[in-house]
Amino acid sequence: MVNTGLVLEGGGMRGVYTAGVLDFFIDKGLYFNSIFAVSAGSCQTCSYLSKQRGRAFRVNVNYLKDKRYCSVKSLITTGDMFGAKMCYDLIPNQLDLYDYAEFDKYEGNFFAVVTNCNTGEAEYVNIKDMHKDIIAIRASSSLPLLSRNVVIDGQEYLDGGISDSIPINRSIQEGNKKNIVILTQCEGYRKQPEKVSPIIKAKYRRYPHLVEAMRTRYIRYNGALDSIKKEQENGNAFVIRPQVPPNIGRVEKNKEKLRILYEHGYADAANCYDKLMTFVTINTI
C-alpha cells in the first residue's frame, strides 16, 4: 500500500472515467493508505477496494433500462432518481454481489464526503463497515432535487459535491503531503456561477445554509482547482483527468458513450503509469 493520498472527484455518470482509472490500478495492484472520495467517486471506490475489476462499470451500465435503477418513475414513486433500494441493496446483495470480505481487508482510511443539510458544511465519513456505512455512500451521491435527504444519526445529508467537490485540501490537512487526484473534467474547465433556482429555494427553504452552499459551490470548486495546480507546481500532486471534454450527462443513458469514457480512463491511467510510479517512488523515499 502506497503512503499517498488519493482524491476522487464526483460528476454523476462521468464517474465511469474514474472507474476506468481505478480498474487499471486494480490490474497493477496499486492501492493507497488514504482516500477521499465524493459522490460518484465514492461509489467507484467501493468496487476498487473490494478488488472487483469491472464491477463499477457494470453497475453503471447494466441496469440503464431498469426503471428501478434510474428513471423518472423512480423519482416520482420513491423520491430518488437513482433508486436507493436498487443501488444500495439489490445490486450489491443479489444482482452483482459485492465482496464485503475483501473490502474488510483494506487497512487504510476511506472517507466519503457528505454535505450536512443543516450546516451546509462538508463532513468526511470514514467507511469501515460497508454493511453499516453504505448509507454514507448513498448520502455522498444524493443529488439535490433528484434524491431524498439521507438521515444518518439524526442528521440530514446530501451530495458531498455541494460542499467539497474535490477534497484536496482536506487530504492535505489529514497529513497527506502528496496526493494523486482523479478528476472527471478536462484541463481548463472552470465551474461557472449558477443562480439558485426558485425550485431549489422552495424545496430547501428549511435549509438556508444548504442553499447558500449550492450558490457558492463554484467558488470552492475553482479554489480546489487552484490548490491542485499549486500542488502540481510544487511536485506534490499528480493529476489524471480526461484529455478531451467528456460528452456525458449527469444522468447519461447511452451505454456506448459510457463505455468509451471508461476506456479513456483506463488508457489515460496506463499512459501515465511510468510517471505516476516515479511520483510515488519519490514520495516514499
Side-chain angles (χ1 to χ4, degrees):
M1 189 182 300
V2 179
N3 186 28
T4 300
L6 178 64
V7 177
L8 308 177
E9 182 183 10
M13 298 299 277
R14 291 198 312 273
V16 296
Y17 178 85
T18 301
V21 175
L22 295 180
D23 274 356
F24 179 80
F25 287 178
I26 291 175
D27 286 347
K28 293 297 184 180
L30 187 57
Y31 292 88
F32 305 88
N33 70 321
S34 184
I35 302 173
F36 291 82
V38 181
S39 195
S42 66
C43 293
Q44 313 299 344
T45 301
C46 294
S47 293
Y48 167 58
L49 293 181
S50 67
K51 300 183 180 181
Q52 290 176 277
R53 187 190 190 284
R55 183 180 182 277
F57 179 71
R58 293 197 306 272
V59 169
N60 273 273
V61 303
N62 282 3
Y63 309 101
L64 291 173
K65 295 182 180 180
D66 191 321
K67 294 186 183 301
R68 297 173 299 171
Y69 176 68
C70 177
S71 67
V72 174
K73 179 180 179 180
S74 176
L75 179 62
I76 293 172
T77 58
T78 71
D80 296 307
M81 175 70 80
F82 288 88
K85 176 69 174 178
M86 179 74 168
C87 293
Y88 304 104
D89 182 7
L90 293 180
I91 291 176
N93 296 318
Q94 295 183 30
L95 301 177
D96 198 324
L97 297 180
Y98 186 73
D99 193 337
Y100 294 95
E102 187 62 44
F103 174 84
D104 289 343
K105 297 176 183 178
Y106 176 62
E107 297 180 350
N109 292 304
F110 163 31
F111 296 94
V113 185
V114 299
T115 300
N116 187 305
C117 293
N118 288 299
T119 67
E121 298 291 329
E123 296 182 14
Y124 307 85
V125 182
N126 198 346
I127 309 298
K128 288 296 186 183
D129 181 341
M130 192 59 74
H131 284 289
K132 177 175 67 70
D133 297 332
I134 190 67
I135 192 169
I137 304 298
R138 175 186 162 195
S140 182
S141 307
S142 292
L143 300 172
L145 297 181
L146 300 182
S147 308
R148 291 171 290 172
N149 296 359
V150 178
V151 179
I152 304 175
D153 296 332
Q155 292 290 319
E156 296 177 72
Y157 296 93
L158 279 174
D159 193 307
I162 298 169
S163 52
D164 194 356
S165 297
I166 315 172
I168 178 68
N169 291 320
R170 179 68 180 197
S171 183
I172 294 171
Q173 291 170 10
E174 290 292 323
N176 294 309
K177 295 181 179 179
K178 292 199 174 185
N179 289 278
I180 295 167
V181 184
I182 303 176
L183 302 177
T184 57
Q185 296 282 12
C186 64
E187 188 170 4
Y189 174 82
R190 303 286 288 187
K191 189 171 288 296
Q192 300 302 312
E194 294 182 12
K195 291 184 178 180
V196 177
S197 72
I199 296 176
I200 287 178
K201 289 181 179 178
K203 181 174 178 61
Y204 299 108
R205 61 186 179 278
R206 293 177 47 234
Y207 311 98
H209 296 298
L210 179 68
V211 173
E212 178 65 8
M214 293 182 196
R215 186 187 71 81
T216 58
R217 179 185 180 185
Y218 77 99
I219 299 174
R220 291 184 298 280
Y221 186 96
N222 294 335
L225 291 178
D226 292 339
S227 294
I228 291 168
K229 183 177 181 180
K230 182 177 179 180
E231 289 296 298
Q232 282 183 284
E233 291 171 349
N234 292 333
N236 295 327
F238 189 98
V239 178
I240 303 175
R241 68 200 329 159
Q243 300 304 298
V244 295
N247 184 25
I248 296 290
R250 291 185 71 85
V251 185
E252 180 62 61
K253 292 279 190 171
N254 188 314
K255 187 173 182 178
E256 180 63 13
K257 289 170 66 174
L258 293 169
R259 181 190 64 78
I260 291 172
L261 185 58
Y262 165 83
E263 291 178 352
H264 283 174
Y266 191 96
D268 288 347
N271 289 336
C272 71
Y273 179 65
D274 289 342
K275 292 181 179 179
L276 175 62
M277 293 311 296
T278 297
F279 174 84
V280 168
T281 300
I282 292 174
N283 182 38
T284 55
I285 289 177

